[in-house]
Amino acid sequence: MTDTLFTVLGLPVTGFGLGMAGALLVALGVELAWCKARGVSYGVFIRFAALAVPLTLLCSRLLFVLAESTYYLTTLSNPALALRFWDGGYSLVGALLGMLLAAWAAEKLLRAPRRLLMDGLALALPAGILVERLCETGTGMGMGKTIATPALLFLGVEDTFTGEWVHPVFYYEAAVAGILFVVLLICALRFLLQRLLKKKSRPLLNAL
């Protein structure tokens, strides 16, 4: 996942990088499905996506640089290297904040129904996190502590740096995101079904 697959304008593109782009596309796809189900115009979604992509990247990079400020200021002694975004270093929390900020800004600027885009992100973000965490397989990221209990060794993965069997935290987080997505999807489908039944029953009530 960390090997260079090809280059774009001289910049390397890895499997992990493509996975991150895929995670963002999955999140936007789920948001689009929610918007269509709620009758939101395609134009509103396009404008939201136009805000979401740059804000997600910007906030993700910014939060990473702030968290690793000592590395840039002391270890490298060159804060300007923080501008080399193509060298990697992004924060998942920052990406989530960027998506939320995009939804909030889009609702304000486009005068979209209150919290409609935010509600869609409740589904979209867990789906994106699920894909993102699964893409960490083989990267050496998301590793937890060494498994001390032999009975739990079946859960572990081998740390390529130490050779020890450790907890694959990224898998645990992917599982939680997947469960959360399924639960929220069921709730969303029930909500949409209730709205549909209520809408169809209204003409019958008026006829009576």
Side-chain angles (χ1 to χ4, degrees), residues 32-44:
L32 174 60
W34 172 258
C35 288
K36 291 182 66 177
R38 292 297 308 273
V40 178
S41 69
Y42 190 65
V44 170

Side-chain angles (χ1 to χ4, degrees), residues 28 52 57 75 124 147 159 178 189 207:
L28 290 175
L57 295 175
T75 305
I147 298 178
D159 191 327
L189 291 176

Side-chain angles (χ1 to χ4, degrees), residues 192-204:
L192 294 173
L193 181 59
Q194 289 174 355
R195 281 176 56 90
L196 179 62
L197 293 176
K198 186 177 180 180
K199 187 176 181 179
K200 287 188 174 182
S201 64
R202 192 171 299 165
L204 295 177

Side-chain angles (χ1 to χ4, degrees), residues 56-205:
T56 297
L57 295 175
L58 176 63
C59 292
S60 179
R61 178 63 177 176
L62 180 60
L63 196 61
F64 174 83
V65 170
L66 290 175
E68 299 292 335
S69 57
T70 302
Y71 173 72
Y72 289 102
L73 293 173
T74 305
T75 305
L76 298 179
S77 299
N78 188 358
L81 291 177
L83 299 177
R84 294 174 60 90
F85 61 90
W86 55 87
D87 286 340
Y90 291 88
S91 164
L92 176 60
V93 175
L96 300 182
L97 290 175
M99 291 284 281
L100 292 171
L101 180 59
W104 175 82
E107 288 179 352
K108 293 294 183 181
L109 295 174
L110 303 176
R111 297 182 180 179
R114 189 164 174 259
R115 293 196 302 270
L116 192 146
L117 293 174
M118 287 287 192
D119 288 345
L121 287 184
L123 279 172
L125 293 183
I129 293 173
L130 171 62
V131 175
E132 190 278 333
R133 285 311 193 217
L134 289 178
C135 287
E136 291 185 9
T137 304
T139 64
M141 296 186 294
M143 298 295 187
K145 294 182 178 180
T146 302
I147 298 178
T149 306
L152 298 179
L153 284 175
F154 73 96
L155 293 173
V157 294
E158 186 177 3
D159 191 327
T160 55
F161 297 104
T162 65
E164 297 180 332
W165 285 85
V166 299
H167 286 284
V169 176
F170 61 97
Y171 280 152
Y172 299 160
E173 292 175 344
V176 172
I179 293 172
L180 182 60
F181 173 73
V182 171
V183 171
L184 291 174
L185 179 60
I186 294 173
C187 294
L189 291 176
R190 289 185 60 185
F191 169 76
L192 294 173
L193 181 59
Q194 289 174 355
R195 281 176 56 90
L196 179 62
L197 293 176
K198 186 177 180 180
K199 187 176 181 179
K200 287 188 174 182
S201 64
R202 192 171 299 165
L204 295 177
L205 293 176

